């Protein structure tokens, strides 16, 4: 069970590294691309700094830095009305066409990553990952309610069930 987190870490590192290398020719990092892709997927509504930070589960300051870089590169623009956190962030036309081009290549990455895995198992994996994400975002996980004893006790129970 403990090895699973290492697989998550290794997968994240390999994806991040590969994406950064592929995106370098566009002058983007994977983090910058992720923000652009988020804005593209939510183009039908007004997205703010707060929305973006909440989606990625990071602090506002992390997103502010990314947005500044994207704005300097001409990929986004921010509405001048309202406060910093409530200003709508919008893709420029340049970014929209770039996202379309890169998204097509992302399909190839997914095909390689999931090669040999049946669709039903990919759907099951997605369901499991959504549950893991929800568990990690829960107040129980974030709070001090996670006592060592509770953790070790539930770990023992899981091991008994698996054996």
């Amino acid at each position: 069970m403990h090895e699973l987190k290492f697989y998550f870490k290794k997968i994240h590192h390999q994806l991040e590294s590969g994406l950064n290398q592929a995106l370098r020719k566009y002058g983007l990092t994977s983090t910058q691309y992720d923000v652009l892709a988020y804005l593209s997927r939510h183009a039908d509504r007004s997205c703010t700094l707060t929305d973006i930070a909440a989606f990625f589960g990071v602090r506002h300051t992390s997103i502010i830095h990314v947005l500044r870089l994207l704005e300097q590169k001409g990929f986004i623009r921010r509405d001048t009305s309202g406060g910093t956190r409530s200003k709508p962030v919008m893709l420029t036309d340049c970014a929209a066409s770039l996202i379309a081009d890169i998204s097509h290549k992302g399909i190839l990455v997914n095909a390689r990553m999931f090669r040999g895995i049946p669709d039903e198992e990919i759907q099951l994996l997605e369901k499991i990952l959504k549950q893991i994400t929800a568990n990690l975002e829960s107040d129980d996980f974030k709070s001090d309610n996670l006592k060592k004893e509770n953790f070790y006790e539930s770990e023992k129970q899981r091991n008994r069930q698996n054996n």
Side-chain angles (χ1 to χ4, degrees), residues 1-10 151-156 158-159 162:
M1 181 66 84
H2 292 301
E3 287 190 23
L4 286 177
K5 75 175 185 176
F6 296 115
Y7 284 114
F8 283 119
K9 192 169 193 158
K10 187 173 184 177
F151 172 77
Y152 291 121
E153 196 56 43
S154 54
E155 191 66 21
K156 284 181 200 173
R158 254 189 249 112
N159 286 335
N162 291 333

Side-chain angles (χ1 to χ4, degrees), residues 2-151:
H2 292 301
E3 287 190 23
L4 286 177
K5 75 175 185 176
F6 296 115
Y7 284 114
F8 283 119
K9 192 169 193 158
K10 187 173 184 177
I11 290 167
H12 171 76
H13 176 72
Q14 289 175 334
L15 284 172
E16 190 89 1
S17 176
L19 284 172
N20 279 330
Q21 185 176 353
L23 293 168
R24 192 172 294 131
K25 69 180 175 183
Y26 299 102
L28 291 171
T29 65
S30 63
T31 301
Q32 292 167 357
Y33 173 75
D34 289 343
V35 171
L36 292 177
Y38 170 83
L39 291 171
S40 177
R41 282 191 304 272
H42 296 90
D44 59 330
R45 66 180 185 88
S46 182
C47 295
T48 65
L49 165 67
T50 301
D51 297 328
I52 299 166
F55 177 80
F56 288 105
V58 297
R59 295 177 184 213
H60 288 91
T61 52
S62 299
I63 296 299
I64 288 171
H65 176 69
V66 174
L67 292 179
R68 278 191 193 131
L69 292 171
L70 290 172
E71 197 168 26
Q72 289 169 0
K73 294 176 181 186
F75 292 126
I76 64 159
R77 66 181 189 283
R78 291 189 261 184
D79 192 334
T80 54
S81 62
T84 306
R85 291 182 184 186
S86 61
K87 283 183 184 178
V89 180
M90 296 154 285
L91 290 176
T92 61
D93 292 339
C94 171
S97 76
L98 180 73
I99 292 294
D101 181 45
I102 295 173
S103 293
H104 176 70
K105 293 174 183 168
I107 293 168
L108 298 175
V109 170
N110 283 346
R112 288 179 189 148
M113 183 168 51
F114 296 116
R115 185 181 312 151
I117 303 173
D119 287 342
E120 313 81 60
E121 290 183 21
I122 293 171
Q123 290 170 356
L124 177 60
L125 174 63
E126 184 175 14
K127 182 179 176 182
I128 292 168
L129 291 174
K130 283 180 181 179
Q131 184 61 54
I132 290 171
T133 301
N135 292 346
L136 294 175
E137 290 174 344
S138 74
D139 289 339
D140 283 345
F141 187 80
K142 293 177 185 176
S143 73
D144 287 338
N145 292 339
L146 289 178
K147 305 260 189 268
K148 272 188 176 179
E149 308 84 47
N150 293 342
F151 172 77

